[in-house]
Amino acid sequence: MLKIEKMNMSYGDLQVLWDISFHVNDGEIVVLVGANGAGKSSILKTISGLQAVSSGNVEFDGIDLTKIPPSEIIKSGVVHVPEARRLFNEMSVEENLIMGSLHGEAKLKRNETIEKCYDLFPRLRERKKQLAGTLSGGEQQMAAVARGLMSLPKVLMLDEPSLGLAPVLVKDIFDIIKSIRQQGITVLLVEQNVQSTLIFCDRAYVLENGRITLEGTGEELLNNEHVRSAYLGI
């Protein structure tokens, strides 16, 4: 469904991604794990068109994403929920959700989709008239994910959705990700919470210094000695 081949990317003269190759199959939850600065967020930004590739291919359902602007990438079905939520703080929760549904089909189905989002996140229904900037951290993360869902993604890319959340809310977010997959949406997830994500993902890739160094099922990587030592403290 999503295929990246030998992708390189630089910020000016500084190369941060080196020959990145991986794929995401329809219906999977695939996780990119690694330390801070490994290049995980840069991969998502490159797929979504926010950063240009230096070389290599990014293909989704036969579409070369490197040849189209970010707005067209969203229309194709690849939607990026960035790190740190990036909500419009002076707009209400509902206005933020509407901002996720500005293109053709998403706009036509806006009323139907927003009700589905409220069913998935009942707290947002309660807070729909509240300014997004006044929400708790967990509520803001819910709003950010819901705004992404409003774009009718085929692949939803989530960047550190558990960052800064209390443990009980982290579990809620991961349960929501599993529910999203059950709705037929493929998920590409960037996470530092390695153990929790490897438990429920289908496959994972380990990123170190801008390069993919390991790949396998969640179970395989949980039992990998390097992963256990470097990321799980075992």
Side-chain angles (χ1 to χ4, degrees):
M1 191 176 196
L2 181 63
K3 185 177 181 181
I4 288 84
E5 290 186 313
K6 294 189 176 299
M7 181 175 74
N8 294 277
M9 191 273 277
S10 301
Y11 294 111
D13 294 331
L14 177 64
Q15 185 164 349
V16 293
L17 298 178
W18 304 78
D19 289 332
I20 298 294
S21 296
F22 70 94
H23 67 279
V24 182
N25 296 318
D26 189 9
E28 282 190 312
I29 296 177
V30 172
V31 182
L32 304 175
V33 298
N36 272 337
K40 306 183 301 296
S41 295
S42 295
I43 289 177
L44 298 194
K45 289 176 182 177
T46 306
I47 294 171
S48 62
L50 298 179
Q51 296 291 337
V53 297
S54 304
S55 62
N57 298 314
V58 181
E59 186 177 291
F60 172 69
D61 272 354
I63 302 169
D64 184 351
L65 299 188
T66 68
K67 304 297 186 185
I68 61 177
S71 59
E72 293 299 317
I73 291 175
I74 292 173
K75 290 179 185 178
S76 76
V78 179
V79 176
H80 182 187
V81 178
E83 184 182 353
R85 295 115 195 189
R86 305 299 176 104
L87 298 174
F88 299 100
N89 289 333
E90 300 302 318
M91 297 170 65
S92 71
V93 169
E94 189 155 288
E95 287 169 337
N96 269 273
L97 267 57
I98 288 170
M99 292 297 289
S101 61
L102 298 182
H103 66 82
E105 185 181 4
K107 190 173 183 179
L108 290 173
K109 294 184 176 180
R110 177 181 293 162
N111 293 337
E112 174 187 347
T113 309
I114 205 166
E115 286 303 314
K116 289 181 179 178
C117 287
Y118 286 149
D119 289 342
L120 185 62
F121 302 100
R123 186 73 60 83
L124 296 185
R125 189 189 299 274
E126 299 170 7
R127 304 280 196 269
K128 65 182 181 179
K129 301 301 181 185
Q130 188 171 327
L131 293 182
T134 66
L135 298 176
S136 69
E139 291 166 345
Q140 287 188 6
Q141 189 61 67
M142 293 176 191
V145 174
R147 184 178 60 187
L149 293 173
M150 290 294 294
S151 295
L152 301 180
K154 296 175 184 176
V155 173
L156 186 66
M157 303 193 301
L158 300 169
D159 193 351
E160 301 284 8
S162 74
L163 187 66
L165 300 184
V168 65
L169 294 177
V170 170
K171 181 182 182 302
D172 289 345
I173 288 294
F174 288 161
D175 286 343
I176 287 164
I177 292 170
K178 287 183 276 189
S179 297
I180 289 169
R181 193 260 290 274
Q182 290 169 1
Q183 295 176 11
I185 299 171
T186 301
V187 177
L188 177 58
L189 175 64
V190 160
E191 259 297 337
Q192 289 187 57
N193 196 326
V194 176
Q195 183 163 7
S196 295
T197 49
L198 290 181
I199 287 171
F200 76 83
C201 73
D202 295 297
R203 293 184 302 109
Y205 296 86
V206 177
L207 199 69
E208 296 178 338
N209 299 318
R211 293 176 170 88
I212 290 176
T213 57
L214 287 169
E215 62 180 275
T217 66
E219 183 178 0
E220 287 170 345
L221 293 185
L222 275 172
N223 293 317
N224 180 278
E225 287 301 321
H226 174 68
V227 172
R228 289 166 66 85
S229 174
Y231 300 105
L232 304 181
I234 298 174

